[in-house]
Amino acid sequence: MRKFILPLALGLAVVSCKKEAPVETTENKTETTTESPKLSLKEYTPEKVSELLSTKNDTLYVTNFFATWCGPCVKEIPHFKEVMDENKDKPVKFTFVSLDEKADWETKVLPFADTKGITANTVLLNFESLNEGFFSSNFKTWDGNFIPFTILRKGDKVEEIGGGVSKEILVKKMSSLN
C-alpha cells in the first residue's frame, strides 16, 4: 500500500505546483503570487567541453573542474567567485565543470552552485564518459587523476593549475595571459 501512496502523493505535489497561483484573501480579493523559477544546470558532452577549452580569441577563459565532495574544490570556489565578480565587465569567462556523479546533479550540485552563486557558470560533465584521449588532447599536465584542476586560456596562451588555488595565484595566472 505504501508503494502506491508515496508515488501518488509525489505526483499530486508536482501537479499542484504552478508558477502563479491565485490566493484568496479574507476580503474576497484575489492576489497573484509568483514561485521562484526552477534552477537548472546544463549537461556538456566531452566534445562540448573540448570545444570550450579550445576556444581561441581575445576572451580569457577560466575553466575549473571540481566536485562538491572535494574539500580543496569547495575551499577555492569563493576565490573564483570573488575574482569573477571583480572581472564582470571584462572579457573573462568563468566556467565551473562539475565532475560529480550523475545521481548527485540535482540533489548536490545544483544546491551547491546556487549557494555559491555560480549556477549560471556551472556545467555538468559525466566523468564516466571521459577517456584518456579527452585528457591528452585538452591538457598538458592533467590526466584526470585529481581535482581541482583549472585551465586558463587566452588566444594561444595557456596556463594549467593542478590542486587548490588561492585568489592571489588565480589573479597572477590570469595576469600572465593578458
Side-chain angles (χ1 to χ4, degrees), residues 99-125:
L99 299 175
D100 284 86
E101 293 183 19
K102 213 170 188 176
D104 294 334
W105 287 358
E106 288 291 322
T107 59
K108 293 183 181 172
V109 181
L110 183 56
F112 175 84
D114 185 41
T115 301
K116 299 295 182 186
I118 61 170
T119 304
N121 300 79
T122 302
V123 298
L124 306 165
L125 179 62

Side-chain angles (χ1 to χ4, degrees), residues 39 41 64 66-85 94 96 100 108-122:
L39 299 173
L41 299 173
N64 176 260
F66 79 99
T68 59
W69 49 261
C70 165
C73 301
V74 172
K75 185 179 177 183
E76 73 179 1
I77 295 292
H79 304 307
F80 281 88
K81 176 67 171 130
E82 190 175 342
V83 174
M84 186 171 71
D85 290 344
F94 285 82
F96 300 92
D100 284 86
K108 293 183 181 172
V109 181
L110 183 56
F112 175 84
D114 185 41
T115 301
K116 299 295 182 186
I118 61 170
T119 304
N121 300 79
T122 302

Side-chain angles (χ1 to χ4, degrees), residues 23-31:
V23 177
E24 193 69 34
T25 65
T26 55
E27 300 170 356
N28 289 329
K29 294 180 183 175
T30 302
E31 297 176 3

